[in-house]
Amino acid sequence: MRHHPRRDSRGILDPGRLLRQVRFRRRLPAAELRPHVEHYWLIDWELTEPFDQRVVPHPAVNVVFHGQVDGPETAEVAGVGSELFTITLHGTGRVSGVQFRPGGFRPFWRRPVAELTGRRRPLIDIGLPVGGEVCGGTDDNRCRRLDALLTGWGPEPDPLAAEATALVEEIRADRTILRVDAFARQHGISIRRLQRLFLDHVGVGPKWVIRRYRLQEAIEQAAGGPIDWATLAADLGYSDQAHLVREFTAVTGVSPAAYARSLG
């Protein structure tokens, strides 16, 4: 179990620009929630002109609370995003978000997570109580309110959710995992059972998870400096450099070389 939140920028396009425009930080939840929750993410901004941020989604459900100075706080659940997510921030505002671990939302909602994939719904519409506002006060206050809210939802023990979480974590950590059939065979389970487990508890299939984590690694490496794209494509399991370029471009909207140039 982690003792500090992730420090990577995977999924965030042009993370340097994001950090220049807003205050972004991650915090861990209470210890009893960590089997289910990856981290809380907090954003505050005071902008003189609109700011667009693009994110390549993780295989994770997020619950997001938006607070604007000129309106009431809103709360929504965002299923695993199948496409590039773009948000425009303006004026002054705050967000308090919960990124669940893959498989981690299922014990709270108790329904197949694939029902939320590619969808964003008001939190109250899916039967989970919203409670009071969570975007005000210090970071500690915001995190304590999120801890209390999630604890009040009463996650049920779910061995299958724990299994799904462990399998996805293995895929994320081990870049040599490139094929669903080999991964299923390694764990002594059928491809069919692995697919059902992922759709029910993660929201997307194992092939999608493998490809998304490998692509996020390519995006992160592009932000780190010059890259031998042919070598990286081979390392990440793409059939060739053209395959990586096609997938990178299809998801982000720009080619790897153009993205790297845009970072200066």
Side-chain angles (χ1 to χ4, degrees):
M1 194 64 62
R2 290 188 178 89
H3 298 290
H4 54 77
R6 285 190 359 251
R7 296 188 176 93
D8 63 73
S9 60
R10 289 191 181 182
I12 301 173
L13 295 183
D14 199 346
R17 180 169 176 263
L18 171 70
L19 296 177
R20 290 191 297 271
Q21 295 288 334
V22 306
R23 290 185 60 233
F24 173 83
R25 56 265 189 224
R26 296 177 176 134
R27 295 282 296 269
L28 287 180
E32 61 271 20
L33 293 169
R34 293 179 195 176
H36 312 293
V37 176
E38 181 84 23
H39 55 247
Y40 299 146
W41 48 278
L42 309 175
I43 302 178
D44 301 83
W45 64 90
E46 295 182 17
L47 300 170
T48 56
E49 58 185 34
F51 167 66
D52 294 330
Q53 178 60 48
R54 298 175 298 152
V55 177
V56 177
H58 288 255
V61 173
N62 283 263
V63 169
V64 187
F65 299 85
H66 301 263
Q68 294 279 162
V69 294
D70 56 352
E73 186 172 294
T74 62
E76 66 176 0
V77 59
V80 177
S82 54
E83 299 179 348
L84 185 70
F85 173 69
T86 301
I87 187 170
T88 300
L89 304 179
H90 53 85
T92 301
R94 287 182 149 194
V95 167
S96 297
V98 181
Q99 182 173 313
F100 289 85
R101 301 180 72 187
F105 188 65
R106 182 68 160 79
F108 295 89
W109 195 40
R110 307 179 185 104
R111 294 177 59 87
V113 179
E115 294 180 13
L116 294 171
T117 298
R119 305 179 66 189
R120 305 177 72 87
R121 297 177 57 186
L123 189 58
I124 196 169
D125 285 359
I126 68 167
L128 291 173
V130 177
E133 293 189 353
V134 300
C135 285
T138 66
D139 287 1
D140 286 343
N141 288 339
R142 292 159 78 173
C143 291
R144 278 195 293 268
R145 292 187 193 116
L146 290 171
D147 284 341
L149 180 68
L150 269 59
T151 301
W153 287 353
E156 292 184 346
D158 186 341
L160 292 178
E163 180 184 5
T165 297
L167 290 171
V168 174
E169 181 60 32
E170 186 176 346
I171 292 171
R172 176 164 62 181
D174 186 353
R175 62 188 292 176
T176 68
I177 298 172
L178 303 173
R179 294 181 58 88
V180 174
D181 55 354
F183 186 61
R185 187 164 55 249
Q186 174 187 339
H187 287 275
I189 57 180
S190 69
I191 295 175
R192 182 179 178 84
R193 180 183 179 274
L194 185 65
Q195 290 172 333
R196 287 200 307 267
L197 178 70
F198 272 52
L199 288 173
D200 191 27
H201 290 80
V202 182
V204 288
K207 181 178 180 180
W208 192 98
V209 173
I210 291 171
R211 293 179 66 175
R212 178 50 52 92
Y213 277 140
R214 300 296 83 88
L215 178 63
Q216 287 188 341
E217 184 163 347
I219 293 169
E220 186 175 40
Q221 291 202 29
I227 292 177
D228 182 333
W229 290 104
T231 299
L232 181 61
D235 289 346
L236 297 180
Y238 292 93
S239 56
D240 53 27
Q241 182 177 344
H243 183 195
L244 169 58
V245 170
R246 285 195 302 272
E247 184 156 322
F248 192 110
T249 305
V251 174
T252 67
V254 295
S255 70
Y259 176 64
R261 287 195 301 270
S262 74
L263 302 179

